[in-house]
Amino acid sequence: MKWKQAAAIVFAGILLLSGCSFQQQPKDNTAYHKIDAKEAKQMMENQDVIIVDVRREEEYAKGHIPHAVLVPNETIKEVAQEKLPDKNATHLVYCRSGNRSAQASKTLIEAGYQNIYDFGGIQDWPYEIEGEQNE
């Protein structure tokens, strides 16, 4: 059987077919992912994730999602590497209403973090919260 025109050659990750070339698009790690509270909760239950609260310390003390790491948006550029050392881990970011979580998510992407998911504000979180409000 002759394969002149229809021959496909795969070489170094490039598919050549009838004179056309196709390359697999790389995963876009230059943007964060926007998800809702339900998706975030499912990820927390089914994956190894780091929950990042980017509010101020006094807001965190009043109530936060269990196991959340406090990394205030105002200081995230200076302290992210120390508090969030694994840039390849899955990070779920939230704040009060969703504004600071979007800012912080962009900052983390710019700093080289790969798997950033912004799930908005704690005001839209219908699940468990721990802190002063529960005491």
Side-chain angles (χ1 to χ4, degrees):
M1 178 178 271
K2 294 186 179 184
W3 292 87
K4 289 182 182 179
Q5 296 289 329
I9 301 169
V10 177
F11 180 72
I14 300 173
L15 175 64
L16 300 174
L17 180 62
S18 298
C20 298
S21 66
F22 302 91
Q23 288 184 307
Q24 183 178 1
Q25 293 296 322
K27 182 180 172 187
D28 182 11
N29 289 327
T30 61
Y32 64 92
H33 310 279
K34 182 69 179 151
I35 60 174
D36 63 21
K38 183 178 179 182
E39 290 172 290
K41 179 70 170 166
Q42 289 172 343
M43 289 175 75
M44 290 174 195
E45 292 173 345
N46 299 315
Q47 297 179 36
D48 188 19
V49 299
I50 298 169
I51 307 161
V52 184
D53 187 324
V54 298
R55 299 174 300 154
R56 292 182 304 279
E57 191 170 343
E58 58 273 10
E59 293 174 290
Y60 180 88
K62 289 180 182 177
H64 57 272
I65 295 171
H67 311 292
V69 177
L70 177 62
V71 185
N73 188 45
E74 295 80 9
T75 60
I76 198 163
K77 286 182 182 179
E78 295 81 22
V79 302
Q81 185 62 46
E82 175 190 335
K83 293 197 171 195
L84 307 170
D86 186 354
K87 290 186 176 186
N88 293 313
T90 299
H91 295 85
L92 305 180
V93 182
Y94 77 96
C95 62
R96 183 186 60 80
S97 65
N99 292 328
R100 287 176 283 178
S101 62
Q103 293 170 1
S105 294
K106 290 176 189 171
T107 299
L108 291 170
I109 290 294
E110 290 169 1
Y113 288 81
Q114 301 296 307
N115 301 299
I116 303 298
Y117 294 83
D118 170 12
F119 66 98
I122 197 168
Q123 69 185 19
D124 297 321
W125 183 254
Y127 309 104
E128 180 184 3
I129 294 174
E130 63 184 20
E132 291 176 6
Q133 74 169 13
N134 293 328
E135 295 174 359

Coordinates of all heavy atoms in Angstrom, one line a residue, residues 5-57:
Q5 N 0.6 10.8 -0.6 CA -0.1 12.0 -0.2 C -0.7 12.0 1.2 O -0.8 13.0 1.9 CB -1.2 12.4 -1.2 CG -0.7 12.6 -2.6 CD 0.0 13.9 -2.7 OE1 -0.3 14.9 -2.0 NE2 1.0 14.0 -3.6
A6 N -1.1 10.8 1.6 CA -1.9 10.7 2.9 C -1.0 10.3 4.1 O -1.4 10.1 5.2 CB -3.0 9.8 2.8
A7 N 0.3 10.2 3.8 CA 1.2 9.8 4.9 C 1.3 10.8 6.0 O 1.3 12.0 5.8 CB 2.6 9.6 4.3
A8 N 1.3 10.3 7.2 CA 1.4 11.1 8.4 C 2.7 10.8 9.1 O 3.1 9.6 9.2 CB 0.2 10.8 9.4
I9 N 3.4 11.8 9.4 CA 4.7 11.6 10.0 C 4.7 12.4 11.4 O 4.4 13.6 11.4 CB 5.9 12.2 9.2 CG1 5.9 11.4 7.8 CG2 7.2 12.0 9.9 CD1 6.8 12.1 6.8
V10 N 5.0 11.7 12.4 CA 5.0 12.3 13.7 C 6.5 12.5 14.1 O 7.2 11.5 14.2 CB 4.3 11.5 14.8 CG1 4.4 12.2 16.2 CG2 2.8 11.4 14.4
F11 N 7.0 13.7 14.3 CA 8.3 13.9 14.6 C 8.4 15.1 15.6 O 8.0 16.1 15.4 CB 9.1 14.3 13.3 CG 10.6 14.5 13.5 CD1 11.4 13.5 13.8 CD2 11.0 15.8 13.5 CE1 12.8 13.8 14.0 CE2 12.4 16.1 13.7 CZ 13.3 15.1 14.0
A12 N 9.1 14.8 16.7 CA 9.3 15.8 17.8 C 8.0 16.5 18.2 O 8.0 17.7 18.3 CB 10.3 16.8 17.3
G13 N 6.9 15.8 18.3 CA 5.6 16.4 18.7 C 4.9 17.1 17.7 O 3.9 17.8 18.0
I14 N 5.3 17.1 16.4 CA 4.6 17.8 15.3 C 4.0 16.8 14.4 O 4.7 15.9 13.9 CB 5.6 18.7 14.6 CG1 6.2 19.8 15.5 CG2 4.9 19.4 13.4 CD1 7.3 20.6 14.9
L15 N 2.8 16.9 14.1 CA 2.1 16.0 13.2 C 2.1 16.7 11.8 O 1.6 17.8 11.6 CB 0.7 15.8 13.6 CG -0.2 14.9 12.7 CD1 0.3 13.5 12.5 CD2 -1.6 14.9 13.2
L16 N 2.7 16.0 10.8 CA 2.7 16.5 9.4 C 1.8 15.6 8.6 O 2.0 14.4 8.5 CB 4.1 16.4 8.8 CG 5.2 17.2 9.6 CD1 6.6 16.9 9.0 CD2 4.9 18.7 9.5
L17 N 0.8 16.2 8.0 CA -0.2 15.5 7.3 C -0.5 16.2 6.0 O -0.9 17.4 6.0 CB -1.5 15.4 8.1 CG -2.7 14.6 7.5 CD1 -2.3 13.2 7.2 CD2 -3.9 14.7 8.4
S18 N -0.2 15.6 4.9 CA -0.4 16.2 3.5 C 0.1 17.6 3.4 O -0.5 18.5 3.0 CB -1.9 16.2 3.2 OG -2.4 14.9 3.2
G19 N 1.3 17.8 3.9 CA 2.0 19.1 3.8 C 1.5 20.1 4.9 O 2.0 21.2 4.9
C20 N 0.6 19.8 5.7 CA 0.2 20.7 6.8 C 0.8 20.3 8.1 O 1.1 19.1 8.3 CB -1.4 20.7 6.9 SG -2.2 21.2 5.5
S21 N 1.0 21.3 9.0 CA 1.6 20.9 10.3 C 0.6 21.4 11.4 O -0.1 22.4 11.3 CB 2.9 21.6 10.5 OG 2.8 23.0 10.5
F22 N 0.5 20.5 12.4 CA -0.3 20.8 13.5 C 0.5 20.6 14.8 O 1.3 19.7 14.9 CB -1.5 19.8 13.6 CG -2.3 19.8 12.4 CD1 -2.1 19.0 11.3 CD2 -3.4 20.7 12.3 CE1 -2.8 19.0 10.2 CE2 -4.2 20.7 11.1 CZ -3.9 19.9 10.1
Q23 N 0.4 21.5 15.7 CA 1.1 21.4 17.0 C 0.1 21.4 18.1 O -0.9 22.2 18.0 CB 2.1 22.5 17.2 CG 3.3 22.4 16.3 CD 4.3 23.5 16.6 OE1 3.9 24.7 16.7 NE2 5.5 23.1 16.9
Q24 N 0.3 20.6 19.1 CA -0.5 20.6 20.3 C -0.3 21.9 21.0 O 0.8 22.3 21.2 CB -0.2 19.4 21.2 CG -1.1 19.3 22.4 CD -0.8 18.1 23.2 OE1 0.1 17.3 22.9 NE2 -1.5 17.9 24.3
Q25 N -1.4 22.5 21.3 CA -1.3 23.8 22.1 C -0.9 23.5 23.5 O -1.4 22.6 24.2 CB -2.7 24.5 22.1 CG -3.1 25.0 20.7 CD -2.2 26.0 20.1 OE1 -1.7 26.9 20.8 NE2 -1.9 25.9 18.8
P26 N 0.0 24.3 24.0 CA 0.4 24.1 25.4 C -0.7 24.6 26.3 O -1.5 25.4 26.0 CB 1.7 25.1 25.5 CG 1.5 26.1 24.5 CD 0.7 25.4 23.4
K27 N -0.7 24.0 27.5 CA -1.6 24.4 28.6 C -1.4 25.9 28.9 O -0.3 26.3 29.1 CB -1.4 23.5 29.8 CG -2.4 23.8 30.9 CD -2.2 22.9 32.1 CE -3.0 23.3 33.3 NZ -2.6 22.6 34.5
D28 N -2.5 26.6 29.0 CA -2.3 28.1 29.3 C -2.2 28.3 30.8 O -3.2 28.2 31.5 CB -3.5 28.8 28.8 CG -3.4 30.3 29.0 OD1 -2.3 30.8 29.4 OD2 -4.4 31.0 28.8
N29 N -1.0 28.5 31.3 CA -0.8 28.8 32.7 C -0.5 30.2 32.9 O 0.0 30.6 34.0 CB 0.5 28.0 33.2 CG 0.1 26.5 33.2 OD1 -1.0 26.1 33.5 ND2 1.1 25.7 33.0
T30 N -0.9 31.1 32.0 CA -0.7 32.5 32.1 C -1.9 33.2 32.7 O -2.0 34.4 32.9 CB -0.3 33.2 30.8 OG1 -1.4 32.9 29.9 CG2 0.9 32.6 30.2
A31 N -3.0 32.4 33.0 CA -4.2 33.0 33.5 C -4.7 32.1 34.6 O -4.5 30.9 34.7 CB -5.3 33.1 32.4
Y32 N -5.4 32.7 35.6 CA -6.0 32.0 36.6 C -7.4 31.5 36.2 O -8.0 32.0 35.2 CB -6.1 32.8 37.9 CG -7.0 34.0 37.9 CD1 -8.3 33.9 38.2 CD2 -6.5 35.2 37.5 CE1 -9.1 35.1 38.2 CE2 -7.3 36.4 37.4 CZ -8.6 36.3 37.8 OH -9.4 37.4 37.7
H33 N -8.0 30.6 36.9 CA -9.3 30.0 36.6 C -10.3 30.6 37.6 O -10.1 30.6 38.8 CB -9.3 28.5 36.7 CG -8.2 27.9 35.9 ND1 -8.2 27.7 34.6 CD2 -6.9 27.5 36.3 CE1 -7.1 27.2 34.2 NE2 -6.3 27.0 35.2
K34 N -11.5 31.0 37.1 CA -12.5 31.5 37.9 C -13.5 30.4 38.1 O -14.0 29.8 37.1 CB -13.2 32.8 37.2 CG -14.3 33.4 38.0 CD -13.8 34.0 39.3 CE -14.9 34.7 40.1 NZ -14.7 34.7 41.5
I35 N -13.8 30.1 39.4 CA -14.7 29.0 39.7 C -15.7 29.5 40.7 O -15.5 30.6 41.3 CB -14.0 27.7 40.1 CG1 -13.2 28.0 41.4 CG2 -13.2 27.1 39.0 CD1 -12.6 26.7 42.0
D36 N -16.8 28.7 41.0 CA -17.7 29.1 42.0 C -17.5 28.3 43.3 O -16.6 27.4 43.3 CB -19.2 29.0 41.5 CG -19.6 27.6 41.2 OD1 -18.9 26.6 41.7 OD2 -20.5 27.4 40.5
A37 N -18.2 28.7 44.3 CA -18.0 28.0 45.7 C -18.2 26.5 45.6 O -17.5 25.8 46.2 CB -18.9 28.7 46.7
K38 N -19.2 26.1 44.8 CA -19.5 24.6 44.7 C -18.3 23.9 44.1 O -17.9 22.9 44.6 CB -20.8 24.4 43.9 CG -21.2 23.0 43.8 CD -22.5 22.8 43.0 CE -22.8 21.4 42.9 NZ -24.0 21.2 42.1
E39 N -17.7 24.5 43.1 CA -16.6 23.8 42.4 C -15.4 23.8 43.4 O -14.7 22.8 43.5 CB -16.2 24.6 41.1 CG -17.2 24.4 40.0 CD -16.9 25.3 38.8 OE1 -17.0 26.5 39.0 OE2 -16.4 24.8 37.8
A40 N -15.2 24.9 44.1 CA -14.1 25.0 45.1 C -14.3 23.9 46.2 O -13.3 23.2 46.5 CB -14.0 26.4 45.7
K41 N -15.5 23.8 46.7 CA -15.8 22.8 47.7 C -15.5 21.4 47.2 O -14.9 20.6 47.9 CB -17.2 22.9 48.2 CG -17.6 21.9 49.2 CD -17.0 22.2 50.6 CE -17.6 21.4 51.6 NZ -16.8 21.3 52.9
Q42 N -15.9 21.1 46.0 CA -15.6 19.8 45.4 C -14.1 19.5 45.3 O -13.6 18.4 45.5 CB -16.3 19.6 44.0 CG -17.8 19.6 44.1 CD -18.5 19.6 42.8 OE1 -17.9 20.0 41.8 NE2 -19.7 19.2 42.7
M43 N -13.4 20.5 44.9 CA -11.9 20.4 44.7 C -11.3 20.2 46.1 O -10.4 19.3 46.3 CB -11.3 21.6 44.1 CG -11.6 21.8 42.6 SD -11.0 23.3 41.9 CE -9.3 22.9 41.7
M44 N -11.8 20.9 47.1 CA -11.3 20.7 48.5 C -11.5 19.2 49.0 O -10.7 18.7 49.7 CB -12.0 21.7 49.4 CG -11.5 23.1 49.2 SD -12.5 24.2 50.3 CE -12.2 25.8 49.6
E45 N -12.6 18.7 48.6 CA -13.0 17.3 49.1 C -12.3 16.2 48.3 O -12.1 15.1 48.8 CB -14.5 17.1 49.0 CG -15.3 18.0 50.0 CD -16.8 17.9 49.8 OE1 -17.2 17.5 48.7 OE2 -17.5 18.4 50.7
N46 N -11.9 16.5 47.0 CA -11.4 15.5 46.1 C -10.0 15.6 45.7 O -9.5 14.7 45.0 CB -12.3 15.4 44.9 CG -13.7 15.0 45.2 OD1 -14.0 14.1 46.0 ND2 -14.7 15.8 44.7
Q47 N -9.3 16.7 46.0 CA -7.9 16.9 45.6 C -7.1 17.5 46.7 O -7.6 17.9 47.7 CB -7.9 18.0 44.5 CG -8.6 17.6 43.2 CD -8.6 18.7 42.2 OE1 -7.6 19.4 42.1 NE2 -9.6 18.8 41.4
D48 N -5.8 17.4 46.5 CA -4.9 18.1 47.4 C -4.8 19.5 47.0 O -4.2 19.8 46.0 CB -3.5 17.4 47.4 CG -2.6 17.8 48.5 OD1 -3.0 18.5 49.5 OD2 -1.4 17.6 48.3
V49 N -5.3 20.5 47.8 CA -5.3 21.9 47.4 C -4.8 22.7 48.6 O -4.8 22.3 49.7 CB -6.7 22.4 47.0 CG1 -7.2 21.6 45.8 CG2 -7.7 22.3 48.2
I50 N -4.4 23.9 48.3 CA -4.1 24.9 49.3 C -5.1 26.0 49.2 O -5.3 26.6 48.1 CB -2.6 25.5 49.1 CG1 -1.6 24.3 49.2 CG2 -2.3 26.6 50.1 CD1 -0.2 24.7 48.7
I51 N -5.8 26.3 50.3 CA -6.8 27.3 50.3 C -6.1 28.6 50.8 O -5.5 28.6 51.8 CB -7.9 27.0 51.3 CG1 -8.5 25.6 50.9 CG2 -9.0 28.0 51.3 CD1 -9.3 24.9 52.0
V52 N -6.3 29.7 50.0 CA -5.6 30.9 50.3 C -6.6 32.0 50.6 O -7.3 32.4 49.7 CB -4.7 31.3 49.1 CG1 -3.9 32.6 49.5 CG2 -3.7 30.2 48.7
D53 N -6.6 32.6 51.8 CA -7.4 33.7 52.2 C -6.6 35.0 52.0 O -5.5 35.1 52.7 CB -7.8 33.5 53.6 CG -8.9 34.5 54.1 OD1 -8.8 35.7 53.7 OD2 -9.7 34.1 54.9
V54 N -7.0 35.9 51.2 CA -6.2 37.1 50.9 C -6.8 38.3 51.6 O -6.4 39.5 51.3 CB -6.0 37.3 49.4 CG1 -5.2 36.2 48.8 CG2 -7.3 37.5 48.7
R55 N -7.6 38.1 52.6 CA -8.1 39.3 53.4 C -7.1 39.7 54.5 O -6.1 39.1 54.6 CB -9.5 38.9 54.1 CG -10.5 38.5 53.1 CD -11.8 37.9 53.7 NE -11.5 36.7 54.5 CZ -12.2 36.3 55.6 NH1 -13.2 37.0 56.0 NH2 -11.8 35.3 56.2
R56 N -7.5 40.7 55.2 CA -6.6 41.2 56.3 C -6.8 40.3 57.5 O -7.8 39.5 57.6 CB -7.0 42.6 56.7 CG -6.6 43.6 55.5 CD -6.9 45.1 55.9 NE -8.3 45.3 56.3 CZ -9.4 45.5 55.5 NH1 -9.1 45.4 54.2 NH2 -10.6 45.7 55.9
E57 N -5.8 40.3 58.4 CA -5.7 39.4 59.6 C -7.0 39.5 60.4 O -7.5 38.5 60.9 CB -4.5 39.8 60.4 CG -4.2 38.7 61.5 CD -2.9 38.9 62.1 OE1 -2.0 39.6 61.6 OE2 -2.7 38.4 63.2

